[in-house]
Amino acid sequence: MPKPAADSAALGLGVDRTSPVPLYHQLALQLEAAIEQGRLAPGSLLGNELELAGRLGLSRPTVRQAIQSLVDKGLMVRRRGVGTQVVHSRIRRPLELSSLYDDLETAGRSPATRVLRNTVEPATPEVAAALGVEEGSDVHLVERVRYADDEPVALLRNHLPPRLLDLGTERLESTGLYRMMRASGITLHSARQSVGARAATAQEGELLAEPAGAPLLTMERTTFDDGGRAVEFGSHVYRASRYAFEFQLLVRP
Amino acid sequence: MPKPAADSAALGLGVDRTSPVPLYHQLALQLEAAIEQGRLAPGSLLGNELELAGRLGLSRPTVRQAIQSLVDKGLMVRRRGVGTQVVHSRIRRPLELSSLYDDLETAGRSPATRVLRNTVEPATPEVAAALGVEEGSDVHLVERVRYADDEPVALLRNHLPPRLLDLGTERLESTGLYRMMRASGITLHSARQSVGARAATAQEGELLAEPAGAPLLTMERTTFDDGGRAVEFGSHVYRASRYAFEFQLLVRP
DNA sequence: GTCAACTATATGTCCTGACAAAGAGCAGGG
DNA sequence: CCCTGCTCTTTGTCAGGACATATAGTTGAC
């Protein structure tokens, strides 16, 4: 079966050496755009690395680094002795650590927030274990209802270590927690999540405009910064009728 | 605040050039083991790449490649001008495309399967769109109940394109679908998932030993091979009282 | 004493060059 | 006709060097 024919002619590829953007990244962006716009057809071969490097005036390692980043994103597949080709399937975004606020905003759904509580409380054993602080020591507690297009979507309950962040209620109402963290110079690194389901309590139902007993999607998450400190522990419930987690994931070789 | 002091003395690091395992991978495995066993303490610096390369008799690119793979796994963090240090938090496995069967088995929970249906049916519009086949054309349909420790955990409903796999009912009862695919030479590449929740129907409740209306965790997944062909479309429901998705995820820089 | 500028250090980027190994296709032998 | 072995192509691995740049600590001026 003949492969869908090689491509790789004039694709508008070319790098700008005066730019501060790394060459491999420039190339990666251009290739990604070419795939996105269909100029690099799914299944088409990219042409061998050495020749591509020669045409662009780059070295092979630089070209390889660009291609590798796309392979890591799942956009391309390399096969020794064959070449590198564009993956057929439409890859959307792989799963990343995202905030509900940003997700809703990029989906064009006008997020809004109502703060129910914004206090300091002693840490329960569970919270203390998650955040790595002393049991009974002070931790911030923030409870919010998140709306999308004026409809309640989720009930967000977050615990944060003390003195990490200035948690103004007004700012909490106008933006997302992760955005506030990043703005404070906190570098998010990783998170441990658990997603489940349970029935709504009467109080939850009232806040989310669902009957008591309605199925809810639950998410518990502990987020760490790049120093390994826990910066947030969240226990969230989502209206199953209005929300689902969607994500793409890759097989790691 | 002084950093937890540099380490990097004799860590038992050393590569075997006669081994077929790539040098960078040997080094990566050794470093990972050292972190795992605590010989490389969280927060400790690794010592600069050039010196490390010199001590091991390797070139810097090779050492960098090894370190980079650990950075990608979330185990280490690089800081220009500072060095590379081990992340404090214990990283478990990042989210990967996994099968319930394997997950249960690695958790030591003795998975078992009962096949309810194993037939060929015409594709509904939804299934046809997911698998990329003609509407109404033949597709395999497999319906199973998955047990863990003799307790029902999930109801699995899979659609597969025709002639992809030999779907013997006996084999389906004794292993997982993904394992069968891999054994058939199919290279899994990526999957698109959607996780939600809903109430159990009467029939689902009966099969899963839950009352009707009980909250269930739902997962829809389309899996693609490295050629971009859809190889499976699954619509699964899990008992929320017995199962939750747990995973770790990294911030992509 | 405080702040700015300088310097040392480590990673980030990029180059050239070389050989190894896997896969596909072709040719030859059974 | 099928299978085996060869060869060619292409990616995989590795070396060694050079310069750029961000960060931290130190030094110097005010």
Side-chain angles (χ1 to χ4, degrees):
Chain A
M1 181 173 54
K3 296 280 158 53
D7 192 301
S8 97
L11 263 173
L13 260 40
V15 295
D16 171 14
R17 284 187 179 269
T18 69
S19 161
V21 178
L23 301 178
Y24 72 88
H25 196 232
Q26 289 184 40
L27 179 55
L29 289 176
Q30 290 174 22
L31 288 173
E32 192 169 353
I35 293 171
E36 186 86 21
Q37 298 163 20
R39 302 202 309 274
L40 257 179
S44 64
L45 293 173
L46 189 59
N48 77 55
E49 298 168 350
L50 221 40
E51 187 235 358
L52 187 58
R55 268 199 301 121
L56 294 172
L58 297 171
S59 68
R60 184 156 86 112
T62 303
V63 172
R64 271 184 72 78
Q65 196 172 356
I67 294 175
Q68 189 58 47
S69 71
L70 298 181
V71 171
D72 290 340
K73 279 190 181 178
L75 290 170
M76 298 185 133
V77 182
R78 323 178 85 135
R79 270 189 248 270
R80 195 188 300 211
V82 179
T84 305
Q85 49 186 318
V86 180
V87 167
H88 276 89
S89 62
R90 298 169 294 292
I91 297 277
R92 316 202 189 175
R93 299 233 174 74
L95 182 59
E96 55 187 282
L97 184 56
S98 61
S99 84
L100 178 58
Y101 192 90
D102 293 345
D103 285 351
L104 291 173
E105 199 170 61
T106 54
R109 298 202 47 203
S110 355
T113 309
R114 182 158 66 96
V115 175
L116 300 177
R117 297 171 71 186
N118 183 2
T119 63
V120 172
E121 302 227 329
T124 65
E126 186 192 14
V127 170
L131 292 181
V133 300
E134 282 292 315
E135 196 177 320
S137 70
D138 282 350
V139 292
H140 285 286
L141 167 60
V142 177
E143 229 175 278
R144 297 166 292 168
V145 185
R146 176 63 46 80
Y147 299 83
D149 299 331
D150 299 323
E151 229 179 26
V153 171
L155 189 56
L156 310 173
R157 193 182 158 87
N158 292 88
H159 291 268
L160 292 90
R163 284 176 303 286
L164 180 76
L165 203 60
D166 180 39
L167 289 166
T169 297
E170 326 73 47
R171 283 207 60 199
L172 281 168
E173 303 241 334
S174 64
T175 186
L177 190 57
Y178 277 19
R179 212 176 276 186
M180 288 174 66
M181 286 191 187
R182 274 188 254 258
S184 296
I186 296 171
T187 321
L188 267 26
H189 176 262
S190 63
R192 180 136 182 81
Q193 296 192 340
S194 178
V195 174
R198 64 173 168 79
T201 66
Q203 195 198 358
E204 287 167 343
E206 195 168 331
L207 287 166
L208 293 174
E210 293 270 350
L216 296 178
L217 194 57
T218 69
M219 199 252 288
E220 285 206 350
R221 169 159 71 185
T222 309
T223 311
F224 302 90
D225 74 357
D226 60 355
R229 299 173 308 176
V231 293
E232 178 246 347
F233 171 66
S235 307
H236 306 162
V237 296
Y238 302 80
R239 292 176 77 181
S241 58
R242 307 298 156 103
Y243 191 77
F245 292 106
E246 304 221 347
F247 51 90
Q248 175 116 17
L249 49 84
L250 303 174
V251 177
R252 58 172 199 177
Chain B
M1 181 174 53
K3 295 280 158 54
D7 191 300
S8 96
L11 264 173
L13 262 38
V15 295
D16 172 14
R17 284 189 179 269
T18 69
S19 161
V21 178
L23 302 179
Y24 72 89
H25 196 232
Q26 289 183 41
L27 179 54
L29 289 176
Q30 289 174 21
L31 288 173
E32 193 170 352
I35 293 173
E36 186 86 22
Q37 298 164 19
R39 301 201 311 274
L40 256 178
S44 64
L45 293 175
L46 188 59
N48 77 57
E49 298 168 350
L50 222 40
E51 186 236 357
L52 187 58
R55 266 197 303 122
L56 294 173
L58 297 172
S59 67
R60 184 155 85 113
T62 303
V63 172
R64 272 183 72 78
Q65 195 173 358
I67 295 175
Q68 189 59 46
S69 71
L70 298 181
V71 171
D72 291 340
K73 278 190 181 178
L75 289 170
M76 299 185 132
V77 182
R78 322 180 85 135
R79 272 189 247 270
R80 193 190 298 209
V82 179
T84 306
Q85 49 186 314
V86 181
V87 167
H88 276 88
S89 61
R90 289 173 295 289
I91 297 278
R92 316 202 189 176
R93 266 173 312 180
L95 180 59
E96 55 187 280
L97 184 55
S98 61
S99 85
L100 178 58
Y101 191 90
D102 293 345
D103 285 349
L104 291 172
E105 198 170 62
T106 54
R109 300 202 46 204
S110 356
T113 309
R114 182 158 66 95
V115 175
L116 301 177
R117 298 170 71 186
N118 184 3
T119 63
V120 173
E121 301 228 328
T124 64
E126 186 192 14
V127 170
L131 291 181
V133 300
E134 283 292 315
E135 196 177 320
S137 70
D138 282 352
V139 292
H140 286 286
L141 167 61
V142 176
E143 229 176 278
R144 297 166 293 168
V145 185
R146 176 64 46 80
Y147 300 82
D149 298 330
D150 298 323
E151 228 179 26
V153 172
L155 189 56
L156 311 173
R157 191 183 158 86
N158 291 89
H159 291 268
L160 292 89
R163 285 176 302 285
L164 180 76
L165 203 60
D166 180 39
L167 288 166
T169 296
E170 327 72 47
R171 283 208 62 199
L172 279 169
E173 302 241 337
S174 65
T175 186
L177 191 55
Y178 277 19
R179 213 175 275 186
M180 287 174 67
M181 287 191 187
R182 276 188 252 259
S184 296
I186 296 172
T187 320
L188 268 25
H189 176 262
S190 63
R192 178 138 184 80
Q193 296 192 341
S194 178
V195 175
R198 63 171 170 79
T201 66
Q203 194 199 358
E204 287 167 344
E206 194 168 330
L207 287 165
L208 292 175
E210 292 271 349
L216 297 178
L217 193 57
T218 69
M219 200 252 288
E220 285 205 349
R221 169 158 72 184
T222 310
T223 311
F224 303 90
D225 73 356
D226 61 355
R229 299 173 308 174
V231 294
E232 177 246 347
F233 171 67
S235 307
H236 306 160
V237 295
Y238 302 80
R239 292 176 77 179
S241 58
R242 306 299 156 102
Y243 191 77
F245 293 106
E246 304 221 347
F247 52 90
Q248 174 118 17
L249 49 85
L250 303 174
V251 176
R252 61 170 196 178

